[in-house]
Amino acid sequence: MNKTLISIAILSTFLVACGSSEKKAIVKQYFDAMQASDVEVLKTILKKPKNADMFAADSGFSMTAKNIEILEEVATGVNVKYTRFCYADIIVPTIVVDTDDGLKVDLMATMKGEFNAMKNSKPLKQYCYDFEDKPLSGTCLLYTSDAADDLL
């Protein structure tokens, strides 16, 4: 009897874990496809496939995965933490909906949530750049910094 209960508990935990990872998997696939500008993959995982065109390589959109972290599942999808230079991190869900074709990312609902979370963000410091305490170097107007020193 105890072995049966333990087996059922382990099996149910396994089933719940498998079901919950499906949302995370589609969100990871979504961010990977955005980073790669893979419109064909995005068309298969977005609720409205035509929205994938805005991520085409020639659209001007670019994204690096180093500024996001996929967190836990929530009722509406999967929480994602965005790290931005000079601003506090924000956590916003990527909205995942169940459609006739399976789980899909609702891009418009996700973007609306992202914009709402970011619109009142304030910088963490007055000036959002850092200087290194060393002499400047490089080229300017086809002159090297050493050649510029010679002109002065």
Side-chain angles (χ1 to χ4, degrees), residues 2 13 16 24 28 40 66 84 88 101-102 110 133 143 150 152:
N2 285 339
T13 302
V16 169
K24 279 184 161 181
K28 181 177 181 341
E40 295 309 310
K66 67 182 176 185
R84 303 170 301 149
D101 297 326
T110 297
D133 188 18
Y143 295 102
D150 294 340
L152 300 175

Side-chain angles (χ1 to χ4, degrees), residues 120-133:
N120 295 322
S121 294
K122 303 267 189 258
L124 297 175
K125 54 187 180 178
Q126 185 176 2
Y127 301 106
C128 290
Y129 45 84
D130 295 318
F131 292 103
E132 293 182 24
D133 188 18

Side-chain angles (χ1 to χ4, degrees), residues 1-151:
M1 178 76 166
N2 285 339
K3 287 182 181 181
T4 304
L5 288 175
I6 292 172
S7 297
I8 291 172
I10 291 172
L11 182 60
S12 62
T13 302
F14 177 73
L15 291 174
V16 169
C18 287
S20 66
S21 66
E22 189 176 357
K23 283 184 182 179
K24 279 184 161 181
I26 197 165
V27 169
K28 181 177 181 341
Q29 186 181 17
Y30 163 70
F31 282 108
D32 289 346
M34 278 199 314
Q35 184 175 5
S37 298
D38 192 337
V39 174
E40 295 309 310
V41 169
L42 285 167
K43 285 181 179 180
T44 66
I45 59 176
L46 292 178
K47 179 181 170 188
K48 293 184 179 178
K50 67 180 180 172
N51 290 337
D53 293 333
M54 73 174 73
F55 301 108
D58 61 354
S59 71
F61 174 83
S62 68
M63 183 215 150
T64 57
K66 67 182 176 185
N67 66 343
I68 62 138
E69 180 183 350
I70 297 170
L71 302 174
E72 73 281 348
E73 281 195 35
V74 293
T76 57
V78 177
N79 274 341
V80 175
K81 179 169 77 172
Y82 293 86
T83 302
R84 303 170 301 149
F85 176 70
C86 199
Y87 288 88
D89 294 350
I90 60 167
I91 296 175
V92 183
T94 297
I95 308 300
V96 178
V97 294
D98 198 3
T99 69
D100 292 340
D101 297 326
L103 293 176
K104 302 285 182 177
V105 172
D106 187 337
L107 178 65
M108 293 299 124
T110 297
M111 290 178 74
K112 182 178 179 181
E114 291 167 354
F115 292 143
N116 284 336
M118 292 178 189
K119 72 179 175 184
N120 295 322
S121 294
K122 303 267 189 258
L124 297 175
K125 54 187 180 178
Q126 185 176 2
Y127 301 106
C128 290
Y129 45 84
D130 295 318
F131 292 103
E132 293 182 24
D133 188 18
K134 66 179 188 178
L136 297 177
S137 64
T139 32
C140 179
L141 300 175
L142 301 177
Y143 295 102
T144 65
S145 59
D146 295 333
D149 288 340
D150 294 340
L151 295 173

